C-alpha cells in the first residue's frame, strides 16, 4: 500500500485575506464594468461599425450575438486558464491571456479597416 504524504497547509494572516478580498472586489467590478460598457457599445455603435448592412436591426443583433458568445464562453476560458495557471504558473497564464487579447483586438481593428474589395482575397 502506498504511503500518503501530508501536505503542509499555509495559513495567511487576516491582513493578507483582507488584501485578497479587496483585490477580488476590484477585479470583479472592473470585469462587470467591461461587460456593461461592451453591451452599451454593442447597442449603440458596434452594429454600425462592424456589421454594416441595410437592416440596422440585423446589425445590432449581430453585435449582441458577439457579446452573447463572449459571455457564454467565459466559464470555459476560466476553467481552461485556471488549470493552466495551476500547471505552468499564474504569471505565465496572465501573460498568455494578455497576449491573446492584444492579438484579437489588433485583428478586429485590422479586419474593420481592410477595404471591402480585399475581402474576396483575404479572410479574417
Amino acid at each position: 500500500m502506498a504511503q500518503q504524504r501530508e501536505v503542509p497547509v499555509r495559513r495567511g494572516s487576516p491582513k493578507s485575506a483582507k488584501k485578497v478580498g479587496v483585490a477580488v472586489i476590484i477585479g470583479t467590478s472592473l470585469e462587470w464594468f467591461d461587460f456593461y460598457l461592451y453591451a452599451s457599445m454593442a447597442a449603440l455603435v458596434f452594429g454600425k461599425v462592424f456589421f454594416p448592412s441595410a437592416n440596422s436591426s440585423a446589425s445590432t443583433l449581430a453585435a449582441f450575438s458577439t457579446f452573447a458568445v463572449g459571455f457564454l464562453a467565459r466559464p470555459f476560458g476560466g476553467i481552461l486558464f485556471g488549470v493552466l495557471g495551476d500547471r505552468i504558473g499564474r504569471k505565465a497564464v496572465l501573460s498568455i491571456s494578455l497576449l491573446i487579447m492584444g492579438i484579437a483586438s489588433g485583428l478586429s481593428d485590422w479586419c474593420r479597416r481592410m477595404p471591402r474589395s480585399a475581402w474576396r482575397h483575404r479572410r479574417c
Side-chain angles (χ1 to χ4, degrees):
M1 191 165 174
Q3 189 178 18
Q4 290 185 350
R5 291 182 8 212
E6 236 180 85
V7 179
V9 177
R10 282 194 312 178
R11 302 268 184 217
S13 67
K15 195 173 188 179
S16 67
K18 197 176 204 180
K19 275 181 157 177
V20 169
V22 169
V24 166
I25 289 171
I26 291 171
T28 304
S29 299
L30 287 173
E31 182 179 14
W32 282 104
F33 176 71
D34 180 48
F35 273 111
Y36 169 76
L37 195 63
Y38 188 90
S40 299
M41 291 297 107
L44 301 172
V45 178
F46 291 162
K48 296 171 190 161
V49 174
F50 289 104
F51 305 104
S53 73
N55 189 353
S56 65
S57 297
S59 298
T60 304
L61 188 59
F64 276 126
S65 67
T66 61
F67 177 70
V69 167
F71 193 80
L72 294 174
R74 187 171 152 244
F76 298 112
I79 292 169
L80 174 70
F81 282 98
V83 169
L84 284 175
D86 290 341
R87 291 192 179 176
I88 64 173
R90 291 188 179 132
K91 281 185 181 180
V93 171
L94 177 63
S95 299
I96 291 169
S97 65
L98 290 174
L99 183 67
I100 290 171
M101 287 189 294
I103 289 171
S105 296
L107 285 176
S108 67
D109 186 54
W110 178 72
C111 288
R112 185 178 67 84
R113 293 175 188 260
M114 189 187 313
R116 295 289 172 214
S117 62
W119 280 100
R120 284 176 277 164
H121 305 293
R122 293 185 182 168
R123 299 197 187 262
C124 292

